[in-house]
Amino acid sequence: MKKTITIIGSGFSSLAASCYLAKEGFDVTILEKNNTVGGRARQFVKDGFTFDIGPTWYWMPDVFEKFFADFSKHPSDYYHLDKLNPAYEVYFDTLDSIQIADNLPDILSVFEKEEVGSAKHLETFLDNAKHNYDVAIKDLVYRPGISITELITPVTMKKANQFFSTIRTSVRKKIKNNRLQQIMEFPVLFLGAKPSNTPSFYSFMNYADFGLGTWHPKGGMYEVVKAMYILAFELGVKIKTNQNVEKINVENGVVKSVISNGITIESDVVLSGADYHHTETLLDEKYRGYSEKYWNSKVFAPSSLLFYVAFDKKIENVSHHTLFFDTDFDLHAKDIYDNPKWPDKPLFYASFPSKTDSSVAPEDKEAGIFLIPIAPGIKDTTAIREIYFDNIIKRFEKLTNQKVSENIIFKESFCVKDFVNDYNSYKGNAYGLANILTQTAFLRPKIISKKVKNLFFTGQLTVPGPGVPPSIISGKIVSNLIKKQFSNKQ
């Protein structure tokens, strides 16, 4: 008889795991709290406008290709990809921006124009970054984070110093131009930590940026969710929405069932892709692997204040992805990590997918997504949201030299309270634990429950870490562990 597996949540990690487990012959059911699948990567559609609620960046295309290849599929079987050129644009002052091209020669040219000699330094930096990428993404990142020995290989021993130096140190060693420094430090923000706290080994994010480029799935990132949903369905996964899991039942240290919407669902294995902290609150206290003190001591990635804005005209002087670095990043970072509070002068990011994808907005109109990184757990009110929207729109108008506030058809916001309500997110964080040295690999919350047999975890709070590609990889890691445990029991 097939072993039954209940998966809590339907984000990227859960969908990936469900596909691998169904392929191995398990009877898999996903229980999703919300009314659509995708977890944090849901979609908001209104009046002909389409917005990705969560992730908007498609990086590391090789990870997606590898996932679908495991099922003899290809991303193009499900969605169309365009490589963005420019990949993104960074504003520093009024009509003063740097565009990052879709190829290295042009990027080197931009760097050299900003700082003589920097192109050579960037090439050397990226050679090392590519090597780190090959080591990390093709090997280390697929390890389950059970023991420190996973990180000890002949290659990593040679690179040991890169785990104790930081991205900021390695970037600023040769390149002195502040604008270029900020561009090179930007990719590690996807890891949820300051460049000054992120090991230099994570320079592989720079290779993901400059070497592999930035892509866009036509229709938005939710097309990837739909692709994985279709694949899971084809493999026999049962997916149920509007299912609020209220309890995980354990008997004699072994998981037995979950209670969802008041109904008990028996299961041989429970796998949670939901928030790790929240999942443990569904257990009796004696079965929780981590205390409240533990969670409170961890460094979390930022939360976000997001706005989804429909404009009645095309927006000028911006790219599909546009970053606004017209204020001091270090001051903003202190307001996130060191003294958590609403930032006085926040940096922000804007995405205008309708610049390259006509399917996400009506003709001659624009869909805009604005994001301010903020500290998790801070006070979130409608009034505060409005203050910050007014702040960034005024700056946006000045920096891009145009008026847009009178052209807003509608806007919706999403912030700390929504992350908590919709995803049971700890302190309303947006994407998990920061990838600092003391929270890397085997030092992250374990993928296998420390106290409950047949209870597993996946997603951005366990290995390998935050981001869409790591979440997909996390799904593969946990499915391999489950398969290994039950290989002789099917």
Side-chain angles (χ1 to χ4, degrees), residues 140-429:
L140 295 183
V141 78
Y142 285 91
R143 301 188 180 192
I146 293 172
S147 167
I148 188 175
T149 57
E150 295 173 18
L151 295 181
I152 301 175
T153 70
V155 175
T156 56
M157 290 300 288
K158 291 179 182 179
K159 291 179 170 287
N161 65 312
Q162 292 192 52
F163 287 94
F164 298 98
S165 180
T166 68
I167 283 289
R168 171 153 290 185
T169 300
S170 58
V171 163
R172 301 190 177 209
K173 188 174 183 180
K174 297 289 185 180
I175 294 176
K176 304 303 179 184
N177 181 284
N178 182 252
R179 289 150 61 104
L180 299 183
Q181 290 172 345
Q182 290 184 74
I183 289 172
M184 290 185 69
E185 291 174 354
F186 146 69
V188 302
L189 299 181
F190 287 103
L191 301 173
K194 294 190 292 186
S196 57
N197 282 349
T198 304
S200 59
F201 180 75
Y202 284 102
S203 65
F204 64 74
M205 292 296 292
N206 293 98
Y207 176 71
D209 179 1
F210 294 159
L212 298 177
T214 303
W215 301 74
H216 173 71
K218 185 176 181 181
M221 286 293 290
Y222 196 69
E223 293 302 308
V224 186
V225 172
K226 290 197 289 187
M228 296 176 74
Y229 171 85
I230 291 169
L231 178 59
F233 181 79
E234 291 171 343
L235 290 165
V237 177
K238 296 179 282 293
I239 302 175
K240 301 178 180 180
T241 55
N242 296 307
Q243 293 290 320
N244 183 36
V245 176
E246 301 143 343
K247 187 81 163 61
I248 299 174
N249 293 318
V250 179
E251 293 179 15
N252 299 319
V254 182
V255 75
K256 291 297 181 182
S257 63
V258 302
I259 299 175
S260 180
N261 295 346
I263 298 173
T264 299
I265 302 169
E266 294 185 357
S267 188
D268 296 307
V269 176
V270 172
L271 166 60
S272 180
D275 180 272
Y276 202 125
H277 168 269
H278 170 72
T279 302
E280 289 220 309
T281 68
L282 304 179
L283 295 162
D284 290 337
E285 191 168 353
K286 66 179 179 179
Y287 291 125
R288 296 172 191 173
Y290 301 96
S291 66
E292 287 297 319
K293 183 179 179 181
Y294 170 88
W295 290 111
N296 199 47
S297 70
K298 297 292 102 178
V299 178
F300 275 80
S303 185
S304 298
L305 170 55
L306 291 134
F307 295 99
Y308 311 103
V309 187
F311 295 97
D312 67 7
K313 69 172 185 178
K314 301 302 289 185
I315 305 300
E316 300 175 350
N317 304 326
V318 294
S319 298
H320 184 124
H321 295 297
T322 307
L323 302 161
F324 295 88
F325 286 2
D326 57 312
T327 62
D328 190 322
F329 169 77
D330 288 335
L331 290 178
H332 188 173
K334 286 180 181 178
D335 291 340
I336 295 174
Y337 297 101
D338 303 333
N339 180 31
K341 67 183 185 69
W342 280 95
D344 294 324
K345 296 180 178 180
L347 284 73
F348 66 99
Y349 153 71
S351 173
F352 300 94
S354 44
K355 284 291 173 189
T356 50
D357 186 350
S358 61
S359 72
V360 300
E363 187 176 359
D364 296 325
K365 294 180 174 57
E366 206 88 85
I369 301 168
F370 295 80
L371 182 152
I372 303 173
I374 58 173
I378 59 176
K379 185 179 181 180
D380 171 22
T381 67
T382 300
I384 291 174
R385 296 186 191 192
E386 287 302 310
I387 289 170
Y388 277 85
F389 183 75
D390 185 58
N391 176 302
I392 62 173
I393 283 297
K394 285 180 178 177
R395 285 165 55 198
F396 178 85
E397 290 180 327
K398 178 185 176 185
L399 292 165
T400 62
N401 194 31
Q402 63 188 313
K403 293 293 183 182
V404 299
S405 57
E406 299 301 317
N407 300 97
I408 295 173
I409 301 171
F410 68 80
K411 77 174 191 294
E412 300 286 345
S413 64
F414 198 96
C415 197
V416 173
K417 284 183 179 179
D418 303 299
F419 281 103
V420 173
N421 293 335
D422 289 7
Y423 312 128
N424 295 309
S425 171
Y426 182 72
K427 294 185 178 181
N429 79 83

